[in-house]
Amino acid sequence: MARRRDEEDDDVDDEEYEDEEEQLMDDEDYDEDEDVGRGQAGSSKKRRRSDFIDDLAEEDDEEDEDDEVYVGGGKKHSRAPRFGSQFFDLEAQVDSDEEEEEEEGEDDFLVDNGADIPDEDVGRRMHRRPLLREDEQEDVEALERSIQARYARSSHTDYDEETTDVEQQALLPSVRDPKLWMVKCAIGRERETAVCLMQKFIDKGTEMQIRSVIALDHLKNYIYVEADKEAHVRQAVKGLRNIFATKIMLVPIREMTDVLSVESKAIDLSRDTWVRMKIGTYKGDLAQVVDVDNVRQRVTVKLIPRIDLQALANKLEGREVAQKKAFVPPPRFMNVDEVRELHIRVERRRDPVTGAYFENIGGMLFKDGFLYKTVSMKSISAQNIKPTFDELEKFRTPSTSGGEMVCLSTLFSNRKKGHFMKGDAVIVVKGDLKNLKGWVEKVEEENVHIRPEMKGLPKTLAVNEKELCKYFEPGNHVKVVSGTKEGATGMVVKVEQHVLIILSDTTKEHASEVSF
Amino acid sequence: MRSAPAQIPTSFGHELRACLRFRLVKTYDQFRESGCENCPFFKMDEDNERVVDCTTPNFNGIISVMDPSRSWAARWLRIGRFVPGCYTLAVSEALPEELQNMCEEVHVQYVPPKRV
């Protein structure tokens, strides 16, 4: 393992070195081409400064690095003659005017806060002009001092709060940083272990040589300990019940940042958000948030009920029902009258918070046909929920305690799902044979063979499916095959164009309009 | 050399909350008692409502930092300058506006959490 680290060390250093060189060259291009590029030049200089800081440990003199930075710029020739004289093209010293401007621009970028920048700038500029041309040696010391003062201040205050992605690059782990070790611990106790180690550290003080302990929410059974040596880790976890020091694994340097990257899920659940259930009978179903309880991490959602009323009735009456776990009832709005039919008790309750009336059936709360369920936030999925048009339509159905009004548009869109079956009564609606009634004999891909009612026509006629429509007469007994009233049976009372009024078997009322 | 460490959470249930600015993790009661060691200007110990505004139970992951100045992880997470204690890796809520203004008044920078 030691060898691997050395190799990685070389790689890291090589990369950084190459980066520096590239940046030097790029920077020169920028400076030459545009003044607008100044902004980029300024920030790229800042970036290189950070690279330098990372490369050499922080304790080193910052002034050294800064001088090199200026040298690398290409135009800043006369600023740091001490180190960079071999890079100079002494003829370019004439461009001191341009330098001044660039310096000013750069200051703005490098030091974000502090109101005293303009003053310093002016002061420095005035001193700069004569100094540069005359005595380089003096200039260097003054420069040193001012730079040290400037960067000592800014890097200490800004360092912590640099939040651009570019700065983040500078914080990548190096070989001098402590390593991350993965340690096994008791499952479910990752957080507790992390905090225990913290407590131990407070008690023991300097004896423990670990730097931090990380417990990830999504990684069970393991925690990460940051330390320089494996021995330190072993020593630190000695005596703790929850940690098993049998296997301590080193995290490769490349994967260290992945450990700390967490996806901060913005679970901003608010009322009327669409979510999907992740578990239970309603898994995968669309639901709408009605109430959020952040304290207890629970939400109340509104769902289309999937209740097997018969099984519920049996259960409440104490009758043993074979629990068919695989059977998931289809989603259907709760009809209170149906429930009463089966002798299930319905309690009317008033919710103290909202003041609305709910029906309590079998321990579950219903209102307007919807089921209102309180579930933990973990059991719903709120990311990237795209409700389908069908689902939304279903939800928008307002239902009173008796009948239901179904959006006709949905009905028409669902119409295509109706397939013809042998024995169906049909009528031709388009073409030459319009208004011809018949019965379905055979169904093929696109054509339906019907036996026409009229005499004088061949036994079967092939008619295109699109030209055919199911035909109902009052008195027919039908069953709804798709849509919100799926499963309901009833007798046809009236036929109107493409909509039927059905008298439901269970409610004995004019219950629905169904399209065919 | 070492600054006094922050209080350590005494339990691990739903009462654990994370400070929205500095991501320090403690229980609700601990915040109410002694506020956030990193941001005393929020004055959580004086105003109970404040605790609910400044902290959130929606956070991801815990890191116990024993030595922030010498920890790479703390530096990466930008908590290298804070007092030793238990912090979280990420919060999912942003600080409310009025509290953001309060941060500005005391020259404390605030950056809302990145939304994925």
Side-chain angles (χ1 to χ4, degrees):
Chain A
M1 220 176 315
R3 202 164 34 135
R4 184 154 53 120
R5 275 211 77 98
D6 286 344
E7 281 168 7
E8 282 166 334
D9 185 4
D10 288 342
D11 286 346
V12 168
D13 279 352
D14 282 345
E15 282 169 5
E16 280 187 12
Y17 188 58
E18 280 162 17
D19 282 348
E20 285 163 34
E21 289 193 330
E22 280 168 17
Q23 280 164 13
L24 290 175
M25 295 195 286
D26 285 346
D27 205 44
E28 281 176 339
D29 289 342
Y30 265 41
D31 288 346
E32 281 157 15
D33 291 345
E34 315 159 324
D35 276 353
V36 179
R38 197 183 310 159
Q40 285 128 348
S43 61
S44 68
K45 282 195 183 50
K46 192 178 179 193
R47 180 174 41 171
R48 276 187 284 115
R49 174 174 72 81
S50 311
D51 278 344
F52 279 94
I53 291 177
D54 194 33
D55 193 23
L56 319 162
E58 280 172 66
E59 293 90 40
D60 286 1
D61 289 344
E62 281 173 343
E63 58 185 301
D64 292 344
E65 295 150 24
D66 296 328
D67 284 344
E68 286 178 78
V69 168
Y70 288 113
V71 162
K75 286 271 170 91
K76 314 271 184 258
H77 299 299
S78 41
R79 287 250 197 106
R82 189 170 54 171
F83 288 104
S85 40
Q86 66 266 38
F87 294 116
F88 287 170
D89 189 359
L90 290 172
E91 294 153 6
Q93 274 191 350
V94 181
D95 294 332
S96 51
D97 284 330
E98 222 172 316
E99 278 184 62
E100 303 309 332
E101 287 165 34
E102 286 191 36
E103 175 198 335
E104 190 186 337
E106 195 186 10
D107 287 342
D108 289 342
F109 285 113
L110 286 172
V111 188
D112 292 335
N113 50 11
D116 50 351
I117 296 167
D119 295 330
E120 273 194 4
D121 238 0
V122 171
R124 215 179 298 123
R125 207 179 338 150
M126 304 228 295
H127 288 125
R128 238 352 114 73
R129 246 178 243 269
L131 281 173
L132 280 171
R133 299 213 179 110
E134 289 160 9
D135 198 334
E136 289 180 353
Q137 202 52 40
E138 267 180 34
D139 166 45
V140 166
E141 285 172 16
L143 178 71
E144 245 181 74
R145 264 179 270 122
S146 62
I147 291 177
Q148 216 171 355
R150 196 198 321 163
Y151 290 116
R153 195 191 341 118
S154 63
S155 69
H156 275 271
T157 52
D158 283 350
Y159 190 54
D160 193 29
E161 315 297 350
E162 285 159 358
T163 47
T164 64
D165 290 328
V166 168
E167 260 68 44
Q168 193 77 21
Q169 285 280 38
L171 299 173
L172 284 172
S174 74
V175 287
R176 272 161 235 87
D177 285 322
K179 312 175 193 12
L180 276 183
W181 306 86
M182 202 156 120
V183 185
K184 199 162 189 164
C185 66
I187 196 161
R189 305 238 190 234
E190 298 83 19
R191 277 194 182 178
E192 193 181 314
T193 309
V195 177
C196 273
L197 281 166
M198 186 76 214
Q199 183 67 56
K200 187 171 169 185
F201 176 80
I202 291 184
D203 296 336
K204 291 278 186 81
T206 45
E207 270 179 37
M208 274 169 70
Q209 299 190 338
I210 59 177
R211 309 266 174 254
S212 68
V213 179
I214 302 162
L216 294 178
D217 283 352
H218 59 82
L219 180 68
K220 305 287 177 208
N221 239 341
Y222 289 95
I223 54 164
Y224 292 94
V225 179
E226 187 185 357
D228 288 310
K229 297 204 168 116
E230 187 179 331
H232 295 164
V233 178
R234 278 193 199 280
Q235 225 244 327
V237 303
K238 221 192 278 189
L240 263 97
R241 229 167 15 137
N242 286 330
I243 298 193
F244 313 125
T246 46
K247 250 203 306 181
I248 297 187
M249 293 172 279
L250 174 67
V251 175
I253 203 171
R254 283 184 221 281
E255 296 170 26
M256 280 170 75
T257 57
D258 292 331
V259 170
L260 294 179
S261 319
V262 287
E263 197 189 79
S264 64
K265 28 191 178 139
I267 330 170
D268 261 349
L269 289 170
S270 49
R271 292 205 172 81
D272 297 341
T273 323
W274 294 107
V275 297
R276 247 177 234 286
M277 306 299 292
K278 284 204 276 196
I279 51 171
T281 342
Y282 297 92
K283 180 172 171 176
D285 279 1
L286 187 73
Q288 195 172 33
V289 175
V290 166
D291 184 50
V292 181
D293 183 351
N294 265 311
V295 177
R296 272 175 238 119
Q297 299 279 293
R298 291 173 77 77
V299 286
T300 311
V301 292
K302 186 165 103 169
L303 291 153
I304 303 185
R306 283 181 187 263
I307 311 284
D308 184 353
L309 287 172
Q310 195 60 48
L312 183 64
N314 291 343
K315 191 177 75 158
L316 288 175
E317 289 177 31
R319 266 181 264 153
E320 284 295 315
V321 179
Q323 276 293 9
K324 286 176 265 171
K325 287 281 178 166
F327 171 64
V328 177
R332 209 153 59 88
F333 284 112
M334 180 57 62
N335 195 318
V336 187
D337 300 313
E338 271 183 57
V339 174
R340 289 213 175 96
E341 276 285 311
L342 291 166
H343 306 294
I344 300 175
R345 248 186 73 185
V346 176
E347 274 176 37
R348 230 184 167 154
R349 282 241 194 100
R350 190 175 164 277
D351 179 28
V353 176
T354 57
Y357 281 97
F358 286 90
E359 279 98 42
N360 185 330
I361 301 171
M364 297 179 279
L365 290 174
F366 295 88
K367 185 163 87 107
D368 299 334
F370 287 102
L371 165 65
Y372 286 75
K373 208 165 144 69
T374 309
V375 294
S376 121
M377 279 187 188
K378 290 195 173 57
S379 62
I380 53 171
S381 163
Q383 301 272 74
N384 293 330
I385 303 292
K386 291 190 176 58
T388 66
F389 182 67
D390 281 342
E391 288 171 318
L392 282 175
E393 283 297 306
K394 282 191 193 173
F395 254 88
R396 252 176 245 139
T397 316
S399 48
T400 56
S401 56
E404 281 169 26
M405 294 289 291
V406 183
C407 280
L408 292 185
S409 56
T410 329
L411 300 179
F412 285 120
S413 65
N414 284 339
R415 200 154 62 95
K416 285 286 179 281
K417 295 184 197 149
H419 283 299
F420 298 105
M421 278 177 57
K422 183 164 180 223
D424 278 348
V426 290
I427 186 167
V428 183
V429 292
K430 276 190 201 163
D432 300 333
L433 296 169
K434 193 168 169 182
N435 281 335
L436 177 68
K437 292 189 204 132
W439 287 270
V440 178
E441 279 289 324
K442 188 167 118 176
V443 179
E444 279 173 6
E445 281 273 344
E446 279 213 352
N447 292 329
V448 179
H449 294 262
I450 60 168
R451 190 162 34 96
E453 212 183 26
M454 219 171 281
K455 294 189 181 68
L457 287 168
K459 282 263 177 60
T460 53
L461 284 172
V463 183
N464 192 307
E465 190 190 54
K466 291 192 188 67
E467 292 171 0
L468 222 53
C469 211
K470 284 194 204 174
Y471 179 66
F472 294 101
E473 271 177 340
N476 287 358
H477 195 255
V478 296
K479 180 175 174 183
V480 182
V481 296
S482 78
T484 56
K485 291 292 284 181
E486 187 180 332
T489 57
M491 191 166 78
V492 177
V493 173
K494 190 166 170 199
V495 180
E496 247 175 61
Q497 295 236 315
H498 284 291
V499 174
L500 290 182
I501 313 260
I502 295 183
L503 185 70
S504 165
D505 282 343
T506 45
T507 65
K508 307 274 188 291
E509 284 175 9
H510 292 248
S512 64
E513 298 173 7
V514 176
S515 104
F516 56 91
Chain B
M1 194 258 292
R2 296 236 179 80
S3 35
Q7 276 183 322
I8 300 184
T10 47
S11 66
F12 310 101
H14 289 295
E15 56 272 19
L16 268 192
R17 298 182 79 93
C19 166
L20 285 171
R21 169 59 186 88
F22 293 97
R23 309 209 291 271
L24 181 69
V25 170
K26 292 204 295 193
T27 64
Y28 177 84
D29 293 323
Q30 283 176 310
F31 274 120
R32 217 154 46 102
E33 258 178 58
S34 33
C36 172
E37 281 84 350
N38 290 307
C39 43
F41 50 87
F42 276 153
K43 297 210 178 30
M44 284 189 237
D45 38 356
E46 287 172 28
D47 186 356
N48 293 350
E49 288 287 316
R50 238 335 112 74
V51 179
V52 179
D53 292 330
C54 300
T55 64
T56 172
N58 286 333
F59 55 85
N60 210 330
I62 281 203
I63 172 170
S64 295
V65 185
M66 285 90 181
D67 197 349
S69 51
R70 289 165 74 185
S71 159
W72 165 77
R75 205 168 74 225
W76 178 264
L77 292 168
R78 306 184 188 285
I79 54 182
R81 303 275 161 171
F82 302 161
V83 301
C86 294
Y87 292 86
T88 180
L89 301 178
V91 287
S92 35
E93 285 174 24
L95 200 61
E97 271 235 36
E98 41 169 284
L99 293 170
Q100 284 193 37
N101 295 336
M102 211 185 291
C103 281
E104 275 178 39
E105 281 171 30
V106 289
H107 301 296
V108 167
Q109 203 190 15
Y110 173 72
V111 177
K114 277 198 203 117
R115 293 286 165 88
V116 173

